Amino acid sequence: MRKDRLYFFTFLAITVIFVLIAGISTRSFIKVSANKLLNAQLESSKREAKEVASLVSFQLTSGIPKDSVINYVQKSIEHTDIENGFICMFDWSGKEVCHPDITKVGQQINPNQSSVTTVDGELTSEDFYTLLTDKRSFGGVRDFKEDDRDSEIIYLYPVTNSDWIIAAHANTKKIAAEIDDIRYKFYTIFIIMGAALILCSVIMVRVIGSAYEKKLELKNQLLADQNQRLGDEVVNLAKLNKDLDTYQQRVMDNKIENDRTDIEKNKKRILTYVRNELRPIATEDIAYIFTESTITYVVCFDGSRSTTNLSLDELFSNLDESHFYRANRQFIVAISAINKIIKYGNNQLKILVDPNSEVDIIISKNKAAEFKQWLNS
C-alpha cells in the first residue's frame, strides 16, 4: 500500500512539474511562432501597399485617366479580402475609392476607428499580437469599440501626385484562427510528449525502485539470518553460563563432602615461592594457574600471586579434575573462579575469571565440546 502511494505521489510530482514547465515554455513558443507569422504578414502588407502605390502613381504620371486607374485597381483587388492581408484605396476625405468588397466603395471611413498604429507610427509584430490576443490599446489611434471587425488597417502609404492613400489591411479573424491552430498544435504535441515522458519516468522509477527494494529485502533477510544465528549463539552461551552457575552452586553445596573424598585422592596444598619465601597454598584457595616465559604462576582468589617449580602437567595430575580444568597449554582454571563465558572468534570460547587475568583464557573450538561436557558433569 505504501509503495502504491509512493508511486502515485511520484507520478503526481512529475506531472505537476511538467505542466508548469510546459505551460511556461508553450506560451513562449506560441508567442515566438505567432510573432514570426505576424512579422511576415506586416512586411508583406507593407511591400504590397508600396508596390501598388508606386504602380498607381506611375499610371497617373503616364497620363492614364483616374477612372481607368481606379477601374484597374478595383479589378485587381476584388475578392482578395478572404486572404490574410489585402489592400484598399481611399482619398484624403476618408471615402473608399477601391475595396475588395465592392459594396463598400464610396463609403466614408473614420481613420481613428479603423487604422492601427503606434506612437512612433510603426506597427510591430508584438503590437499586432497584442491586438489579436488582448484587443487592448498600445498607443495607437484605434479605440477598439468595434471588437467584431474582421480586419484592421495596419499600414498607410500615400500615392504620389494624388490625393489617394493605399491602406494595407490585415484579416484579423483569419490570422487569429491561424494562431489558434498553431496554439492547438503546440498543446497537442506537448500533451503527447508529456504523457510519454511522464509514463516513461514513472516506469523507470518503478523499475529502479523495485530493483532497490529487492536488494534491500535481500540485505534485510541476510541481516535477519545473522541476527537469528547470533540469537542462537547468545541462547547457547546463556545456557552454558547457566550450567556453569548450576555447577558452581552444586560444587559449593557439596564442597565439604568432596573435600573429604579429595583429601584421600588429591593434594591438599601446593608449595609455592614468593621471592625467597616458601609459601604453601591450599588448593581450594587457588583461582587459576598459568605459565608465562617458562615461569608457572599460582593466583589465589584474594589476588595474591606466587610461583612454583612444578609444570602445569605435574600440577594438573595432582589436582581434582572436577574442580580444576586444563583450558589450554598455558592455563588451569578453577570452576569457582569462572565468572562468565563468552563467544570468541571462530567457535572459540573466552573465560572471564575473578580475579581478572591479564592474559586471555581461550578455549579452542576443538576443546569447546569437552569443556561444556565438563561443566555438565
Side-chain angles (χ1 to χ4, degrees):
M1 189 65 179
R2 291 182 178 179
K3 296 179 183 178
D4 294 337
R5 291 182 63 185
L6 177 62
Y7 292 138
F8 172 74
F9 285 125
T10 301
F11 167 78
L12 193 61
I14 296 175
T15 303
V16 171
I17 293 173
F18 178 82
V19 169
L20 291 176
I21 296 175
I24 296 173
S25 58
T26 302
R27 288 171 62 90
S28 301
F29 291 153
I30 293 174
K31 188 172 183 180
V32 170
S33 300
N35 282 337
K36 288 184 178 181
L37 174 65
L38 297 175
N39 188 61
Q41 182 61 45
L42 285 171
E43 294 300 322
S44 176
S45 298
K46 290 177 182 179
R47 184 171 60 253
E48 184 179 10
K50 290 179 180 180
E51 290 176 353
V52 171
S54 298
L55 178 61
V56 171
S57 178
F58 176 76
Q59 289 176 341
L60 292 174
T61 305
S62 299
I64 299 175
K66 284 188 176 182
D67 292 340
S68 298
V69 173
I70 292 172
N71 187 44
Y72 292 148
V73 174
Q74 180 63 36
K75 287 182 178 180
S76 65
I77 67 173
E78 277 187 8
H79 307 299
T80 58
D81 54 350
I82 62 174
E83 300 175 358
N84 286 355
F86 60 92
I87 63 170
C88 69
M89 186 170 66
F90 57 86
D91 57 22
W92 284 101
S93 66
K95 181 181 178 180
E96 291 279 4
V97 177
C98 297
H99 195 281
D101 185 358
I102 195 170
T103 60
K104 293 185 179 182
V105 175
Q107 292 184 3
Q108 193 73 26
I109 64 171
N110 183 359
N112 287 345
Q113 294 182 352
S114 62
S115 176
V116 179
T117 60
T118 57
V119 174
D120 57 4
E122 188 72 19
L123 182 68
T124 65
S125 60
E126 292 188 359
D127 297 331
F128 202 173
Y129 184 75
T130 303
L131 168 66
L132 294 174
T133 55
D134 298 340
K135 291 289 186 181
R136 62 183 175 82
S137 176
F138 40 81
V141 297
R142 176 79 160 88
D143 61 8
F144 298 99
K145 291 181 179 179
E146 300 177 59
D147 292 336
D148 58 344
R149 288 179 63 88
D150 293 338
S151 66
E152 298 285 352
I153 298 175
I154 59 176
Y155 187 69
L156 297 173
Y157 196 82
V159 178
T160 308
N161 300 323
S162 73
D163 63 345
W164 295 336
I165 298 174
I166 302 298
H169 283 258
N171 194 336
T172 53
K173 288 191 175 182
K174 185 172 178 56
I175 295 174
E178 290 188 6
I179 293 176
D180 289 339
D181 184 61
I182 292 174
R183 182 180 291 107
Y184 171 77
K185 290 179 180 178
F186 268 113
Y187 283 143
T188 302
I189 292 172
F190 270 94
I191 289 172
I192 296 174
M193 184 175 65
L197 179 63
I198 293 170
L199 182 61
C200 292
S201 299
V202 172
I203 292 175
M204 289 301 298
V205 169
R206 191 176 184 89
V207 170
I208 295 173
S210 298
Y212 175 75
E213 288 170 2
K214 288 181 180 179
K215 290 183 179 180
L216 187 61
E217 289 176 359
L218 180 60
K219 184 177 180 181
N220 291 336
Q221 184 61 40
L222 292 175
L223 184 61
D225 294 341
Q226 291 177 356
N227 291 335
Q228 182 63 36
R229 288 195 296 270
L230 181 61
D232 294 340
E233 293 293 340
V234 171
V235 171
N236 293 335
L237 289 176
K239 291 180 179 179
L240 187 60
N241 284 301
K242 185 176 181 181
D243 293 340
L244 172 64
D245 293 339
T246 302
Y247 186 75
Q248 287 177 333
Q249 184 63 39
R250 189 168 67 248
V251 169
M252 294 299 296
D253 293 340
N254 300 326
K255 187 174 183 302
I256 297 176
E257 182 178 352
N258 290 339
D259 286 344
R260 292 175 182 175
T261 305
D262 292 341
I263 290 174
E264 299 177 358
K265 295 175 59 178
N266 306 302
K267 281 190 173 183
K268 189 175 182 181
R269 288 181 296 276
I270 294 176
L271 185 61
T272 65
Y273 299 88
V274 179
R275 296 184 182 86
N276 296 325
E277 177 185 350
L278 292 175
R279 177 179 295 178
I281 297 177
T283 56
E284 61 184 14
D285 295 332
I286 298 174
Y288 54 89
I289 305 170
F290 71 98
T291 60
E292 187 177 26
S293 300
T294 69
I295 300 175
T296 303
Y297 294 94
V298 179
V299 180
C300 297
F301 286 103
D302 59 4
S304 61
R305 178 185 296 188
S306 56
T307 61
T308 178
N309 293 330
L310 299 176
S311 65
L312 287 184
D313 292 335
E314 292 173 333
L315 289 171
F316 188 67
S317 64
N318 293 310
L319 293 174
D320 183 3
E321 295 185 4
S322 64
H323 188 68
F324 290 93
Y325 181 76
R326 181 71 178 270
N328 50 46
R329 293 181 179 180
Q330 191 179 0
F331 268 91
I332 298 174
V333 61
I335 184 68
S336 303
I338 298 176
N339 186 32
K340 186 177 291 185
I341 304 168
I342 61 176
K343 183 180 179 182
Y344 183 82
N346 185 17
N347 296 325
Q348 296 176 325
L349 299 176
K350 181 177 180 180
I351 300 176
L352 302 182
V353 293
D354 187 19
N356 184 43
S357 171
E358 297 177 357
V359 182
D360 291 339
I361 305 175
I362 306 300
I363 296 178
S364 66
K365 63 180 181 179
N366 296 329
K367 294 193 66 174
E370 176 187 305
F371 177 67
K372 295 176 182 179
Q373 185 177 3
W374 176 73
L375 290 176
N376 289 325
S377 61

